[in-house]
Amino acid sequence: MTTVTMPQLGETVVEGTITKWLKQEGDHVDQDEPLFEISTDKVDTEVPSPAAGTLTKILVQEGQTVSVKTPIAEIDGAGAPAGESAGAGAAPDSAQQPAPPQAPAATGSEPQRGAGPGSAPAPAAPTPERAPAPPVAAPLPAAPAPSVAPAAPAPAGQIADRGPRSQIISPLVRRLAEENGVDLSQVIGTGTGGRITKNDVMAFAVSRETAAPRLAAGPIAPAPAPATTPAAPAPETVPEPQVAPAPAAARGGEEVVPMTVVRKAIAEHMTRSLQVSARAWNMVEVDMEKIARIRSAAKEAFTDREGFNLTYMPFLARAVVDALLANPLVNSELRGEEIVVKHYVNLGIAVSYDQGLIVPVVKGADGMNLIGMARAVNDLATRARAHRLTPDEVHEGTFTITNPGPFGSILSVPIINQPQTGILAFDAVVKRPVVIDDAIALRHMVYVSMSWDHRVIDGALASQFLARIKENMETWDWTEDLGL
């Protein structure tokens, strides 16, 4: 028997929450097949089974949080060899083995995955699948309606059969497909054993959007073909009075939405920050005209070379790193009655994504130039929104930048990301009339503000830190880094 324990997915991870069991007690599971899904520090992760066999007991239920190395399930490995020998042995046994997986849709592909490594089980596994394949193909041209019924359960646990094997769909991939309106039966998996990954879903969604104009043109032509147009007004007049009260009821009603694991983590973290720190705040106004012109001159060549857009964030990040090295107390942490001053910079960049807010960390930011910073920020933000961060990539930050500017915010008072000492807010860059040499001019301007822990630093230091950032952004020559 194999005891499954809560894994430690990163050096700083001490506990995890079971968000979904992908197998139930009594189910067969192959080694390295996804067994359950956990949430640790706002990162959702699938965990594979450490052994093949039968899941005999689930010790930790969905929604429970336990420490790493805590036993959470038991797998009896005795069933794995028996299944293989049955497939390779007598005919009656091989005929009986595929029968149980066909009852629940979610386990339909398990015997096929087990049959892959061995040569003997290979012919036995496709046999029960090829039987239903011709009936599905035959009615499709003549009567599409019957084919809809068997396809309905597919998104719950697996996609329609695409050949010799079907697929198991993880909850993460299933949720991503639902959010993007992707039909998983149309997606070709590139993962291990042909499994559909998050990247496969997103790539399909992008390719579908590109082909949308051509696809939309097809259904429009046959639409007027039916001769039932005169009958249409009758049903339309009946629902109209029924539809009217629905919005009114919705406006006056309430909806109860359970907090997700991520939302709970954010709530706990933010509340604790306000309870333990003495938060203070101040702000400077930065003239972004020089950076705006340099960025405008370089952005086309930069996008062609790097494959992503040049934003204002890398400029700010470089200026902040320099200011942190010049004022290391802002880059410190309070531990009990001791202040730990850090002479390196791991820069956290807050990213908004479908689950809320997450702060991936640019490790070794003090060793990066403008281009390296731009690449690191883009990579982390892209993978954060695609749920592809590892737990260690949201830990060990020494200072954080939050960027509400793209959403239209012009002034923010963020909450400190504990145990750090400060957090910087970078709001919207907008054109404003300002006085330059006793004359009024239109310039690109931005408010840069910081929430800081008054237990560690004082107002004078906070102001000096912000002044250094302002000076860097207004005076630095960025052309060399950009190759201009």
Side-chain angles (χ1 to χ4, degrees):
M1 184 185 71
T2 300
T3 299
V4 183
T5 61
M6 174 63 69
Q8 183 168 15
L9 300 178
E11 294 180 1
T12 57
V13 175
V14 296
E15 63 182 15
T17 301
I18 303 289
T19 56
K20 180 72 174 180
W21 278 102
L22 307 180
K23 295 289 184 178
Q24 300 303 319
E25 292 183 357
D27 289 350
H28 173 81
V29 59
D30 291 323
Q31 185 171 0
D32 296 329
E33 182 180 2
L35 180 60
F36 59 95
E37 179 185 340
I38 64 174
S39 178
T40 61
D41 291 291
K42 300 182 285 187
V43 176
D44 295 333
T45 308
E46 282 183 355
V47 179
S49 173
T54 301
L55 180 61
T56 57
K57 184 178 294 185
I58 292 177
L59 304 175
V60 177
Q61 300 302 317
E62 294 178 1
Q64 287 186 268
T65 301
V66 295
S67 303
V68 297
K69 299 183 180 179
T70 300
I72 59 175
E74 296 177 354
I75 295 176
D76 186 355
E84 294 175 5
S85 61
D93 291 339
S94 66
Q96 292 173 0
Q97 184 181 351
Q102 289 181 355
T107 58
S109 60
E110 292 167 12
Q112 297 148 18
R113 291 175 63 91
S119 58
T127 305
E129 293 181 357
R130 289 176 184 168
V136 172
L140 281 177
S147 64
V148 175
Q158 67 183 82
I159 62 172
D161 192 1
R162 301 186 61 86
R165 69 166 85 196
S166 54
Q167 306 293 334
I168 293 180
I169 306 300
S170 74
L172 291 177
V173 172
R174 205 156 50 235
R175 180 179 61 206
L176 199 60
E178 292 173 358
E179 292 172 352
N180 290 273
V182 172
D183 180 3
L184 290 173
S185 65
Q186 304 300 317
V187 181
I188 298 177
T190 60
T192 305
R195 294 183 65 247
I196 296 177
T197 66
K198 307 181 193 74
N199 291 340
D200 296 331
V201 174
M202 296 309 298
F204 182 88
V206 172
S207 64
R208 181 190 57 191
E209 291 174 3
T210 304
R214 296 192 300 270
L215 296 174
I220 293 175
T228 58
T229 307
E236 288 177 359
T237 56
V238 175
E240 283 179 352
Q242 300 173 353
V243 173
R251 285 194 297 268
E254 295 180 349
E255 181 182 5
V256 178
V257 180
M259 292 182 71
T260 63
V261 173
V262 172
R263 192 75 256 165
K264 290 178 182 178
I266 294 173
E268 187 277 333
H269 191 59
M270 295 297 96
T271 302
R272 181 167 57 87
S273 177
L274 291 177
Q275 292 172 342
V276 302
S277 65
R279 185 180 65 167
W281 180 90
N282 61 341
M283 175 195 74
V284 294
E285 187 177 26
V286 179
D287 186 341
M288 295 285 290
E289 190 66 23
K290 182 177 182 179
I291 291 179
R293 292 177 180 177
I294 292 175
R295 175 174 170 265
S296 178
K299 64 180 181 180
E300 186 173 346
F302 180 91
T303 303
D304 291 342
R305 183 178 70 247
E306 300 293 335
F308 58 91
N309 294 330
L310 178 61
T311 67
Y312 288 117
M313 177 57 72
F315 295 92
L316 174 70
R318 282 285 296 115
V320 168
V321 168
D322 172 82
L324 288 170
L325 295 176
N327 302 274
L329 199 58
V330 182
N331 195 47
S332 65
E333 172 187 339
L334 183 62
R335 296 179 187 170
E337 297 183 354
E338 296 179 333
I339 299 174
V340 180
V341 181
K342 301 171 183 179
H343 297 280
Y344 62 92
V345 180
N346 289 341
L347 192 62
I349 307 291
V351 176
S352 177
Y353 75 130
D354 59 348
Q355 295 294 305
L357 192 68
I358 193 169
V359 185
V361 178
V362 179
K363 304 287 181 69
D366 49 307
M368 297 180 179
N369 63 9
L370 182 65
I371 302 298
M373 185 71 72
R375 290 170 179 166
V377 170
N378 176 75
D379 171 63
L380 287 173
T382 300
R383 290 192 292 113
R385 296 187 176 103
H387 299 262
R388 292 192 290 114
L389 292 176
T390 63
D392 282 341
E393 289 177 312
V394 297
H395 283 284
E396 300 179 2
T398 61
F399 190 82
T400 296
I401 297 176
T402 181
N403 180 27
F407 303 101
S409 171
I410 62 169
L411 196 60
S412 305
V413 185
I415 299 176
I416 300 169
N417 185 19
Q418 293 295 327
Q420 297 166 20
T421 303
I423 179 171
L424 196 81
F426 185 54
D427 287 282
V429 177
V430 297
K431 280 189 174 182
R432 282 196 288 267
V434 295
V435 177
I436 306 293
D437 297 329
D438 294 332
I440 297 176
L442 284 177
R443 309 295 287 260
H444 287 83
M445 306 295 292
V446 66
Y447 294 122
V448 176
S449 59
M450 181 174 69
S451 294
W452 41 276
D453 194 340
H454 217 323
R455 298 176 303 169
V456 179
I457 62 178
D458 298 321
L461 177 58
S463 297
Q464 291 168 9
F465 173 74
L466 289 174
R468 177 77 175 227
I469 295 173
K470 174 182 171 68
E471 179 184 5
N472 291 346
M473 298 185 74
E474 293 179 348
T475 64
W476 273 4
D477 182 5
W478 307 90
T479 57
E480 184 177 352
D481 273 359
L482 292 173
L484 297 177

